[in-house]
Amino acid sequence: MQKKIKKPAKVPVHHAPPPNQVRIIGGQWKRSVLPVLQALGLRPTPDRVRETVFNWINHLRDGDWANAQVLDLFAGSGALGFEAASRGAAAVTMVDTHTPVIRQLEDNKTKLRADNVQLLRGDALLTAQGLAARGQRFDLIFLDPPYQQDFLAKVLPLCANLLKEGGIVYAESGMAMVFDENSEQGKPDWMAPWEVIRADKAGTVYYHLLTYNKVVTTA
C-alpha cells in the first residue's frame, strides 16, 4: 500500500505592511497617491472628510482658487495642503516641526512638480507669529493639530492676525467646537470672535469651517 506523502506545512509569509498613503481627490493631480510616513503618529484627514470640506470651501469660493493664498500650519501628511494646491491655489505654505515629515513632503512636492507649494520646518505657533509679523495674510488656513494638546486654543488667536478679510479657517478636532451659549459651559474666550459656519463629524473626528468676526470694543 502506497503511503501518502505529507505536504510540508505552510510557512506563513509575513509581508511588510503597505505604506500609509493619501489620495488626492480633485484638481490637476486627482487620484494621485502620495506616501505618508508611518512614524510620529501622523493621522491624515480621511478621504470622505476631505471631500466634504473641499466641497464646502469650493462653494464658498464659487470654485475660484486662482488667487487663493493657503496656510497649512500642521501639515503632517500634506493631504490638505496638496489638495488645495491641486485645485489651483496660487500659493500653499505647509508647516511642520518634524524633519522626516518635511523630507517626505519635499519628495511628494517633487513628484507632483508642485511649484505652488512652499515648505517650512518649524513650530506651528512660532511660525504663525513670524508670518503675522511679516504681514503675510491668507485666504484659507488649515488647522489639523494633534488632538488632546489644546493647540487650537493657542493657535486660533494667532490666526486672527493671519487671515484676510472674509477668509476661512478649517479646524479639525477631537471635540465639537459648536458651543451652546446658554449652557453653563458656554463658548470659551478663545472662540469668542469665531463663528462656526459649517460643522460635521465622522467617527471621532469633528471638523469645522470658521470665520473671524472682529470684536468691536467700546470706550
Side-chain angles (χ1 to χ4, degrees), residues 18 39 56 65 72 74-75 94-96 105 113 131 134 137-138 146 148 152-154 157-158 183 197-198 202-203 214:
W56 289 349
W65 288 86
D72 188 356
F74 301 87
M94 301 167 70
V95 180
D96 202 279
L105 293 174
R113 299 179 182 176
L131 291 170
R134 293 194 294 273
R137 300 294 181 266
F138 300 90
Q148 317 302 333
L152 288 176
K154 298 172 184 175
L158 300 177
S183 71
I197 55 174
R198 296 299 297 265
K214 291 182 181 178

Side-chain angles (χ1 to χ4, degrees), residues 8 11 18 37 48 51 53 70 84 88 115 120 138 140-141 146 158 161 164 170 172 179 189:
V11 178
L37 288 181
R48 183 164 67 86
E51 185 170 13
V53 168
V70 180
D115 295 332
L120 300 177
F138 300 90
L140 175 61
I141 300 175
L158 300 177
N161 296 320
K164 290 184 183 180
Y170 167 74
E172 195 170 307
F179 300 93
D189 290 343

